């Protein structure tokens, strides 16, 4: 089987709700986004579903991802979580279903929740399955449990200030696509002198430079934006190719700056 591809970039939806989110989704679909990233924890699946329903876009043209929160990992709870997500999203399947965070301290054994995830896939409620915020060791355990080709992606934080080289390289070596979340470091890339300098040289924005750098690593990004011109710019960043010296300068920006680091996070690599 050839590896399915995640449309790049996807549209992040964390923190967005209601009419703002609906407008963002309408704009994003009209501009050409075909990949939407939500999660049960974002409490916006109903709005995502409504916006997709209101759009003229056939469901099968949209790559829709949702995630199961870490307090719903016991198998019966996981399956109920997925049923609730599908109902809110107004669809009978998602394209990608992720474990949002590994079970803290393995409170639910990994084999239990990954087997449940695979059963959801076998039942046709998820075309693909994957994980998020998994360390290298956790990913290896997951592949041991499910088999080497079971998971499409590990969605982890990746931006110029947290480049996550080891995790990205390991996932890619094991055949997974890496999805990079917070690719703009939640706006911090805009303030960086190096990124601004490269942006100026190309007549683009530092956000576009960050997304072009992410793509150059083979990582799919899922930036969020409330502004149509930013959404358009994030799509256009795909056309930007950076030079070797520019990529090297961005490599030098890594400072291990992790933004998403809740108390239940795993022991990061
Ligand atoms: N799996 C996980 O645990 C996890 C954790 C966190 C996030 N995520 C996913 O990753 C997505 C992205 O992360 P995020 O939304 O936190 O942060 P982000 O995408 O790095 O940054 C979003 C911020 O960047 C600004 N922005 C976007 N495009 C821009 C542009 N072209 N020019 C200037 N500013 C721009 C936005 O402001 P404007 O609205 O003004 O454009 C917004 O303030 C989330 O929405 C979510 O789907 C997953």
């Amino acid at each position: 089987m050839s590896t399915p591809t995640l449309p790049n970039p996807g549209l992040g939806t964390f923190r967005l709700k209601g009419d703002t989110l609906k407008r963002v989704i309408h704009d994003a679909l009209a501009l050409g986004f075909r990949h939407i990233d939500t999660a049960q924890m974002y409490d916006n699946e109903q709005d995502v579903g409504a916006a997709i329903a209101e759009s003229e876009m056939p469901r099968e043209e949209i790559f829709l991802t949702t995630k199961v929160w870490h307090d719903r990992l016991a198998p019966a709870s996981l399956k109920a979580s997925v049923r609730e997500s599908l109902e809110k999203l107004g669809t009978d399947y998602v394209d990608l279903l992720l474990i949002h965070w590994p079970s803290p301290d393995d409170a639910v054994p990994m084999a239990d929740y990954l087997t449940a995830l695979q059963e959801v896939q076998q039942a046709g409620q998820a075309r693909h399955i994957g994980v998020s915020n998994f360390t290298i060791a956790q990913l290896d355990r997951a592949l041991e449990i499910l088999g080497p080709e079971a998971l499409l992606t590990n969605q982890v934080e990746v931006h110029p200030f947290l480049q996550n080289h080891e995790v990205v390289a390991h996932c890619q070596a094991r055949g997974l696509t890496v999805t990079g979340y917070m690719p703009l470091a939640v706006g911090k890339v805009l303030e960086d002198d190096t990124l601004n300098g490269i942006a100026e040289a190309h007549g683009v924005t530092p956000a576009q430079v960050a997304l072009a750098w992410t793509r150059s690593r083979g990582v799919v990004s899922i930036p969020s934006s409330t502004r149509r011109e930013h959404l358009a710019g994030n799509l256009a960043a795909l056309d930007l190719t950076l030079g070797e010296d520019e990529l090297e300068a961005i490599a030098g920006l890594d400072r291990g700056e992790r933004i998403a680091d809740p108390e239940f996070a795993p022991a990061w690599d």
Side-chain angles (χ1 to χ4, degrees), residues 11-16 37-39 42 67 69 98-101 132-133 155-157 159 180-190 205-208 211 222-227 229-234 259-260:
L11 176 72
T13 67
F14 183 35
R15 295 182 218 91
L16 302 180
D37 181 86
T38 181
Y42 301 168
K67 316 185 189 84
W69 193 235
L98 301 180
I99 299 295
H100 204 148
W101 290 84
S132 177
N133 298 301
Q155 184 182 121
V156 292
E157 183 174 336
H159 47 71
Y181 72 68
M182 295 178 162
L184 306 175
V186 199
K188 281 189 193 169
V189 298
L190 305 178
T205 68
Q208 290 175 304
L211 297 177
I222 46 171
S224 76
S225 175
T226 54
R227 295 173 58 172
E229 66 269 30
H230 288 172
L231 292 167
N234 295 348
I259 299 171

Side-chain angles (χ1 to χ4, degrees), residues 43-64:
D43 192 24
N44 64 11
E45 289 172 307
Q46 203 123 19
D47 299 320
V48 170
I52 291 174
E54 284 161 17
S55 77
E56 305 276 296
M57 194 70 58
R59 167 68 187 88
E60 61 272 17
E61 289 193 21
I62 299 170
F63 191 101
L64 181 59

Side-chain angles (χ1 to χ4, degrees), residues 41 44 48 55 65 68 75 91 94 98 117 134 137 147 149 159 199 225 233 237:
M41 192 280 268
N44 64 11
V48 170
S55 77
T65 300
V68 180
T91 182
V94 286
L98 301 180
L117 187 74
F134 270 42
E149 291 177 4
H159 47 71
S225 175

Side-chain angles (χ1 to χ4, degrees), residues 33-160:
F33 278 87
R34 291 293 178 270
H35 168 186
I36 301 174
D37 181 86
T38 181
Q40 179 146 87
M41 192 280 268
Y42 301 168
D43 192 24
N44 64 11
E45 289 172 307
Q46 203 123 19
D47 299 320
V48 170
I52 291 174
E54 284 161 17
S55 77
E56 305 276 296
M57 194 70 58
R59 167 68 187 88
E60 61 272 17
E61 289 193 21
I62 299 170
F63 191 101
L64 181 59
T65 300
T66 197
K67 316 185 189 84
V68 180
W69 193 235
H70 67 78
D71 63 357
R72 304 294 303 271
L73 294 180
S77 186
L78 183 151
K79 290 178 182 178
S81 171
V82 175
R83 283 195 300 274
E84 289 161 26
S85 288
L86 293 178
E87 197 177 329
K88 289 179 192 160
L89 289 165
T91 182
D92 51 13
Y93 73 97
V94 286
D95 296 277
L96 177 61
L97 180 66
L98 301 180
I99 299 295
H100 204 148
W101 290 84
S103 182
D105 301 319
D106 284 322
V108 179
M110 191 185 284
D112 290 8
Y113 64 80
L114 289 183
T115 302
L117 187 74
Q118 199 166 47
E119 285 168 4
V120 166
Q121 181 184 26
Q122 284 158 357
Q125 292 171 318
R127 294 271 154 90
H128 305 285
I129 56 175
V131 293
S132 177
N133 298 301
F134 270 42
T135 63
I136 289 173
Q138 288 171 327
L139 183 76
D140 284 346
R141 264 165 69 205
L143 295 177
E144 231 167 79
I145 292 165
L146 292 180
E149 291 177 4
L151 299 173
L152 178 60
T153 194
N154 187 12
Q155 184 182 121
V156 292
E157 183 174 336
V158 180
H159 47 71

